[in-house]
Structures are given as structure tokens and as C-alpha cells.
Amino acid sequence: DEICTHHSFYSISRIKIKATMIMNRFANRAISAALRTQSSRGYSATSSSEAKVAVLGAAGGIGQPLALLCKLSPEVTELSCYDIVGTPGVAADLSHIPTKSSTTGSLPAPVSWPLTSNGGLKEALTGADVVVIPAGVPRKPGMTRDDLFNTNASIVKTLVEGCAEFCPDAMIAVISNPVNSTVPIAAEVLKKAGVYNPKKLVGVTTLDVCRANTFVANSMGVDPKDVDVTVIGGHAGITILPLFSRVDGAKFTDEELEAITVRTQFGGDEVVAAKAGAGSATLSMAYAGFLFTENVLKAMRGEDVVQCAYVESDVTDATFFASPVKFGKDGVEEVLPIGDLTAYEQQWFDKMMPELKKQIQKGVDFVNK
């Protein structure tokens, strides 16, 4: 009986090994076919049905859920994930989701999924229509977005240098904080490379709008989807100015208006404190970044899209400012005026502007020092 058991074991083992070899051959053929298909697609903004989105920082707390949402979007046909660690695994995981978009994951070293001889930033960015940058370190309790400056400024500078070289015509959407400074950093990098186009560089402030919509809808007892608060200024503390006076049916006492305004401005602090050192707003930021990205892709297809964004602007005397922006096939089509402010909003506006200009200049100086 013992001899028979051993013979059965070895026979089964040989069968398993042979089956594994056959499966590997089929897998390799499938990967090769996928790579040939990807290389022949020629993704660019010139095709209305195809769009490549690159997520830089795709293995992080924002990057992973952002990449997941992009993978689920019918607007995305190729999803490219890049980070300093973990992206081959993230991409392999995402690639099992049955949507039409292909998925690749690249590291700074030549290791990627699917396995190819070329890795790194060039592979991630080449042919990209939209580049979303959530890369960087998160905030911890007691930290402001500005405290992140030295680390995240260098990260954004390096990544945007890659964009300038490998996808100079792509729309670049910056999530990495402090956005008030990192967007000017990106602009200066692109200027130095001779490829700066103000229509193709934006700071993502959509989370401020999401928070404002959520907070005011909850206070009114309505569906947040039926609310669209205009949020102007920047993307940090007092530079965030929600214009609740323009929400139909919204009525606040002075105390209520102050409370909901400050909560919107410092909503990020609320999450940082609640996570108790374990990170900052990642899931809500990923959702907001996805909403922004998908709207940009819809605009590239010809849909009418207006959303708030932090862009080069002349609506105020700050060189960059968040306000409603009309997007089109070539990126920013028109920066819309902010309109008249109430006395309450004007007080916040006057308080905001010196701080916003200071943070913008800090970004400019970082590149030109």
C-alpha cells in the first residue's frame, strides 16, 4: 500500500508539473498578445474613443483607490500605474477586473507588469492623455499642507520633468500637497523645458467641492448630488472659499455659516485627526481626483464640462486661482469669472489673497533658487 501511495503521489506530481508548464505557455502567449495589442493602439487625445491615464504615485493611499476608480471608468482605455514601490502588484491586481481598459505598472527600475524589457517613468508616461499626480507623503496630526512642502516639492518636480520629456502634450492634474505651491512648481519646470501650456496644467480642488456639497446637503436634508457649491481660491485652509450664498434654498444663521465654511476649509484636518496618525484624506481624495479626471476625459470627447480647478488665471491678481473652469478637447478652454461676493465672502477673500500669493511664490522660488 505504501509503494502504491508513493507511485500515486509522484504520478500526480508529474501531472501537476506538466499542467503548470502548459498553463505558463498559454499565459506567456496571452501576455505577448496583450503587449502587441497595447503597442498597436496608439493612444492619444486625437482619438475620441481611446484615452490613456497615467497615475503617478499609484501604490499609495490615494493612488490605489484612484487607480481602481479609473480602471472602472468607461472613459479610460489604458491605465498606467507608476510608483517607487509596489506598482507591478497593483497593476496585476487591477488587471483582473473585467473592464475594457488595459493596465500596466512601472517602477523606476526596469520591472513592470506585464513583464517587458522597458520599465520606469518613460513607459508610464509615453502616450498619456491625462497624468494624475497623487504622489508624495501624507499629512500627520499637527502638520499643515505647507509642512509637506520640502518632500513633496521635490517629488512633483521630478515627476513633472518626466512629463515634460515623455508626454509634453498631456493634461497634468496635480493632487500632491501643498497644491497652492506644487502647481506653480510644475509650471516653472514645464517653462524651463519649453513645453508649458497653461491649458494643460491644473490643481485638483474637487475634494473641496465634494466636502462643501456634502456638508451643505446634510444641513439642508437634501441629496448631495443635487447640490453644486462653487469653491474658489486655493486648496489649503483659509485659501479655500466656498460660496454657500449661491446655493438655492440654503439658509444659515451667521454662526451656522461660519461653522460650515470653516469645516469645509479644514475638512482635511478632521480626517487627519480621526485617523490618529495613520494618514490623511485618501479615499475621499481618490474619489474627487477620479471625478475630476473623468470629467476632463469627457471634455476631451466633446462634452460640455465646467468644474472648479486651480489654474493659471487672471480673474484675480494671484497668478494661480481656483474658480469654475470650462474644459474642452484641448484642456482648459475658459477660466470663468467668480462674480460678486457677499460681504461675508469678501472678508474671507481679503484674508485669503496674501496667503495664497505667498504659497504660489514659494513654489516658484523652489524651482528657480
Side-chain angles (χ1 to χ4, degrees):
D1 288 344
E2 188 177 330
I3 293 171
C4 290
T5 303
H6 279 300
H7 277 300
S8 299
F9 172 77
Y10 289 124
S11 297
I12 292 169
S13 296
R14 283 197 296 271
I15 292 169
K16 284 183 177 179
I17 291 169
K18 191 170 183 179
T20 301
M21 291 173 66
I22 292 170
M23 289 173 66
N24 284 342
R25 281 201 297 271
F26 277 115
N28 288 334
R29 288 174 188 171
I31 289 171
S32 297
L35 289 173
R36 285 195 299 272
T37 302
Q38 288 172 17
S39 63
S40 65
R41 282 178 176 172
Y43 294 98
S44 71
T46 58
S47 172
S48 61
S49 61
E50 297 181 341
K52 176 176 178 177
V53 173
V55 179
L56 308 185
I62 297 171
Q64 287 201 45
L66 173 59
L68 171 61
L69 291 168
C70 288
K71 173 63 176 167
L72 298 175
S73 173
E75 301 294 330
V76 179
T77 49
E78 183 176 358
L79 174 62
S80 175
C81 301
Y82 178 86
D83 210 322
I84 57 172
V85 293
T87 34
V90 171
D93 197 357
L94 291 170
S95 72
H96 294 181
I97 297 172
T99 61
K100 70 177 184 179
S101 60
S102 62
T103 311
T104 59
S106 301
L107 295 169
V111 179
S112 61
W113 175 264
L115 297 175
T116 65
S117 58
N118 297 316
L121 196 54
K122 179 179 180 180
E123 180 185 0
L125 293 176
T126 300
D129 298 295
V130 180
V131 179
V132 193
I133 308 179
V137 297
R139 278 200 297 161
K140 293 183 179 179
M143 291 177 69
T144 66
R145 287 181 178 88
D146 205 45
D147 291 333
L148 304 176
F149 181 84
N150 288 330
T151 299
N152 287 358
S154 297
I155 291 171
V156 170
K157 180 176 180 289
T158 299
L159 294 175
V160 175
E161 286 170 347
C163 294
E165 182 176 359
F166 302 123
C167 58
D169 296 323
M171 166 70 78
I172 301 172
V174 179
I175 291 175
S176 307
N177 276 318
V179 166
N180 292 352
S181 302
T182 53
V183 172
I185 285 171
E188 293 303 306
V189 168
L190 295 168
K191 287 175 185 176
K192 284 181 177 291
V195 295
Y196 177 58
N197 180 352
K199 294 182 178 181
K200 294 291 186 77
L201 176 64
V202 294
V204 179
T205 60
T206 311
L207 181 53
D208 301 325
V209 177
C210 289
R211 285 174 174 148
N213 289 346
T214 300
F215 300 158
V216 75
N218 289 347
S219 72
M220 295 170 64
V222 300
D223 189 333
K225 290 181 179 178
D226 298 327
V227 179
D228 187 16
V229 181
T230 297
V231 182
I232 64 171
H235 182 60
I238 66 167
T239 69
I240 300 168
L241 179 52
L243 305 181
F244 290 118
S245 65
R246 301 182 188 182
V247 178
D248 291 338
K251 294 180 181 178
F252 303 102
T253 65
D254 290 346
E255 292 77 14
E256 289 170 340
L257 180 58
E258 178 77 4
I260 198 170
T261 298
V262 172
R263 190 183 181 198
T264 302
Q265 292 172 328
F266 297 95
D269 294 7
E270 184 177 308
V271 177
V272 170
K275 288 191 175 183
S280 57
T282 53
L283 300 175
S284 55
M285 185 64 251
Y287 172 72
F290 161 71
L291 282 183
F292 179 85
T293 302
E294 190 170 61
N295 281 335
V296 167
L297 293 172
K298 288 177 180 178
M300 287 179 172
R301 279 199 297 102
E303 288 191 26
D304 290 332
V305 171
V306 175
Q307 58 183 340
C308 291
Y310 182 69
V311 297
E312 184 178 297
S313 169
D314 59 5
V315 299
T316 70
D317 58 354
T319 50
F320 290 89
F321 195 81
S323 65
V325 174
K326 182 179 180 183
F327 287 85
K329 292 182 179 180
D330 297 316
V332 173
E333 205 166 84
E334 183 182 2
V335 180
L336 303 175
I338 60 175
D340 295 331
L341 303 178
T342 65
Y344 176 79
E345 292 162 351
Q346 188 66 48
Q347 288 176 358
W348 277 113
F349 180 88
D350 293 340
K351 222 185 279 188
M352 164 219 302
M353 290 304 290
E355 184 61 28
L356 179 58
K357 290 178 188 176
K358 176 183 170 185
Q359 292 175 19
I360 292 170
Q361 191 60 46
K362 188 173 183 178
V364 173
D365 292 342
F366 178 81
V367 179
N368 298 313
K369 61 186 177 183

